[in-house]
Amino acid sequence: MRNIIFVKFGGLLIELISHSSQLILNKDRGVKHFITSATSKKSNYSIHFQVVSSTELSDFKQKFKGEPEENDYINYDWFVSERNGEIALTVDYKDHECIKQIVAFVNSNSKDIRVEIELVNENYPVHIEPLMHPLGSLLMIYLFHWNEGALIHASAVSDNCNGYLFTGVSGIGKSTMARLWQECGAEVLNDDRLILRLIGDDVIVYNNPMPYYNQRALSSSLKKIFLLKQSSQNYIKPLQGVLAYSRVLGNFIQQFYNPQMVHKHLEIVESIINKVSVYEVGFKPDVNIVRLIREMDNDG
Amino acid sequence: MELSLVYYKNNNFVSKSIGNEKVLVPLTDNVADMNKVYNLNEVGSFIYDCINGSSSLREILSSLIENYEVSEEIAMDDINNFITLMVAKGVLFTKQ
């Protein structure tokens, strides 16, 4: 019997199907709160998981090799390869107890994604997180790119239906800012990674399945982006034009390797920036910065 | 500055216009490096757009003077500074 889960995040309905009896898709952890019941609505994507003894990649040309993220909790290498527009996302796990290799085949023209998994021992059933790290992140980068969206390293909150996003270099205070807003009654969407999508005239900010986060699906209409600076005093400075654009751009998560993809990403980011206001904000870690930002809206 | 020189754009940069300004994104080891983008102001963006592998710097100088109504001295300085920086960054090159 096939093991099927429907998940919805970032406005996309995704069907996750295991075609191998020994491969059980885990409904706990990352995807738990994004699971939705089977629906008559057509899925935006179907991800087909299958155990294989090896994956054939000889016709694929390697485009680039990635590195594990800093302080990553698992040991792996990853590669992006391509063959006639089909992209293979390969993760080689170095010391995973169950999985040797996992390869996802994605194509901008197809709603079906094939995921081939080579197990350490094919004879034993294995429970896997369907959007396991780092495959889930890589898949999301491409799927949302093809759906007028992008992922960004940031925290985001929803305050009276206004979405505010806080971004900047690692350690600058994204999580601290989220906590301050939570203390003031706002809802934290996430304090690490968000999806932004252009939907009609709006930019919608969504949380997404992440390991070690126990959150239900959340979203908000994004109104303002704040680039964080540590400062001895609170200030808010509007940014415009190429400066606003280039400073926000560096915080998006992307692994694009050809000029067409890069150009489309730049277009998506431009459309986002055109719909929201961008500010540099220097702040001391106390709730006064929340008041200052709220006053911006009260002042019109 | 040798005004007869013709410059070419390095294809390993993707450009994006933002109003009259521009960002250049380098492709490093085949991957876009969004943390090392170059911002071009309006004049830099204009000069960059004029560089096409066939127009000489003399022609670009004339266009700059005509479009911005600046003295030849100022336009020459702008082009010289821009070309020197962009060649040093690998954005532009000449075959001569």
Side-chain angles (χ1 to χ4, degrees), chain B residues 42-59:
Chain B
E42 185 176 343
V43 172
S45 183
F46 179 86
I47 299 169
Y48 184 83
D49 283 340
C50 290
I51 289 167
N52 54 15
S54 63
S55 300
S56 67
L57 291 188
R58 183 171 288 106
E59 291 168 285

Side-chain angles (χ1 to χ4, degrees), chain B residues 73-86:
Chain B
E73 189 187 358
I74 290 174
M76 186 84 99
D77 261 1
D78 283 344
I79 290 183
N80 194 17
N81 291 338
F82 181 78
I83 296 289
T84 303
L85 184 64
M86 291 293 105

Side-chain angles (χ1 to χ4, degrees), chain A residues 188-206:
Chain A
V188 176
L189 305 186
N190 193 260
D191 68 355
D192 187 26
R193 185 180 76 190
L194 282 309
I195 296 165
L196 302 185
R197 277 188 75 197
L198 294 155
I199 308 279
D201 290 332
D202 286 329
V203 178
I204 307 295
V205 51
Y206 302 89

Side-chain angles (χ1 to χ4, degrees), chain B:
Chain B
M1 188 169 60
E2 178 52 69
L3 290 176
S4 63
L5 286 178
V6 170
Y7 281 84
Y8 298 80
K9 289 171 181 161
N10 181 341
N11 288 333
N12 284 325
F13 286 83
V14 177
S15 69
K16 176 81 187 85
S17 295
I18 305 295
N20 292 326
E21 303 170 300
K22 205 177 285 298
V23 294
L24 302 177
V25 178
L27 295 171
T28 307
D29 295 331
N30 280 338
V31 184
D33 190 343
M34 302 290 181
N35 289 307
K36 290 185 181 165
V37 301
Y38 299 119
N39 292 351
L40 305 187
N41 63 17
E42 185 176 343
V43 172
S45 183
F46 179 86
I47 299 169
Y48 184 83
D49 283 340
C50 290
I51 289 167
N52 54 15
S54 63
S55 300
S56 67
L57 291 188
R58 183 171 288 106
E59 291 168 285
I60 295 170
L61 179 67
S62 299
S63 299
L64 191 61
I65 292 167
E66 190 182 323
N67 273 272
Y68 287 90
E69 296 177 351
V70 290
S71 68
E72 181 168 338
E73 189 187 358
I74 290 174
M76 186 84 99
D77 261 1
D78 283 344
I79 290 183
N80 194 17
N81 291 338
F82 181 78
I83 296 289
T84 303
L85 184 64
M86 291 293 105
V87 168
K89 300 290 185 189
V91 175
L92 301 176
F93 63 95
T94 183
K95 289 182 178 172
Q96 290 182 35

Side-chain angles (χ1 to χ4, degrees), chain A residues 114-144:
Chain A
R114 191 171 86 255
V115 176
E116 296 188 353
I117 301 176
E118 192 180 339
L119 296 177
V120 173
N121 189 333
E122 277 185 46
N123 299 319
Y124 294 106
V126 170
H127 291 253
I128 66 155
E129 276 194 74
L131 297 174
M132 64 192 300
H133 185 71
L135 185 79
S137 314
L138 289 168
L139 271 175
M140 279 189 234
I141 288 171
Y142 289 96
L143 298 191
F144 285 101

Side-chain angles (χ1 to χ4, degrees), chain A residues 31-100:
Chain A
V31 296
K32 182 178 177 183
H33 296 285
F34 296 85
I35 291 175
T36 183
S37 51
T39 164
S40 57
K41 233 177 130 179
K42 199 163 167 50
S43 306
N44 298 96
Y45 290 98
S46 296
I47 306 183
H48 305 269
F49 295 84
Q50 191 169 7
V51 172
V52 296
S53 28
S54 67
T55 295
E56 178 55 51
L57 286 169
S58 57
D59 292 344
F60 281 77
K61 187 176 175 193
Q62 187 174 306
K63 293 297 181 179
F64 67 93
K65 179 178 183 295
E67 299 288 336
E69 291 173 14
E70 209 174 317
N71 302 322
D72 228 332
Y73 58 93
I74 48 174
N75 198 4
Y76 59 86
D77 285 328
W78 62 271
F79 313 87
V80 175
S81 327
E82 192 187 280
R83 179 188 64 186
N84 301 328
E86 186 176 29
I87 298 168
L89 307 170
T90 302
V91 182
D92 284 332
Y93 292 97
K94 293 179 180 172
D95 46 19
H96 196 286
E97 57 183 1
C98 304
I99 299 171
K100 281 189 198 168

